């Protein structure tokens, strides 16, 4: 196998189902006060950074926070808490 074949195999290898190089392997969907929330903590080293999306009526707000958890489940819980807090404080203004 030549060098170019090795590079090609590396660059075009299949990606694992449901994961990418930075994201967690799962997302969770929730509803809060008429808003749809999707949590998907970012895996960074041995921890998971808060990340998610808030959606309503075709509008979307993506958020990433500095907060981290040591477990995937904890990352989902913290991401959900932060999304609900954002919705409660800002409401529709979150999309501006």
């Amino acid at each position: 196998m030549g060098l170019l074949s090795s590079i090609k195999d590396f660059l075009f290898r299949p990606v694992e189902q449901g994961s990418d190089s930075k994201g967690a392997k799962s997302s969770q969907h929730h509803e809060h006060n008429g808003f749809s929330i999707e949590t998907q903590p970012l895996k960074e080293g041995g921890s998971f950074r808060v990340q998610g999306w808030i959606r309503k009526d075709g509008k979307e707000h993506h958020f990433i926070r500095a907060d981290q958890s040591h477990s995937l489940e904890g990352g989902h819980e913290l991401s959900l808490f932060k999304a609900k807090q954002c919705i409660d404080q800002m409401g529709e203004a979150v999309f501006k």
Side-chain angles (χ1 to χ4, degrees):
M1 184 185 284
L3 177 62
L4 291 177
S5 295
S6 297
I7 292 172
K8 179 182 161 197
D9 290 343
F10 175 76
L11 292 176
F12 297 103
R13 71 189 182 280
V15 177
E16 290 181 35
Q17 183 74 21
S19 78
D20 59 35
S21 62
K22 290 194 81 178
K25 289 185 178 180
S26 67
S27 63
Q28 295 181 358
H29 300 271
H30 309 272
E31 296 290 326
H32 180 70
N33 292 345
F35 291 81
S36 174
I37 301 168
E38 179 182 353
T39 61
Q40 187 179 39
L42 286 170
K43 183 163 178 56
E44 292 185 353
S47 61
F48 296 87
R49 183 173 304 278
V50 167
Q51 172 185 248
W53 291 265
I54 299 171
R55 298 180 180 104
K56 184 175 183 181
D57 299 331
K59 300 174 192 168
E60 178 178 274
H61 172 71
H62 178 233
F63 64 93
I64 300 175
R65 300 290 182 265
D67 307 274
Q68 295 184 346
S69 174
H70 293 291
S71 71
L72 176 59
E73 194 58 39
H76 281 293
E77 290 175 14
L78 194 52
S79 296
L80 179 59
F81 173 79
K82 291 294 184 174
K84 286 180 176 181
Q85 185 179 43
C86 188
I87 290 167
D88 292 342
Q89 291 177 353
M90 301 181 69
E92 297 276 341
V94 73
F95 301 116
K96 293 182 181 181

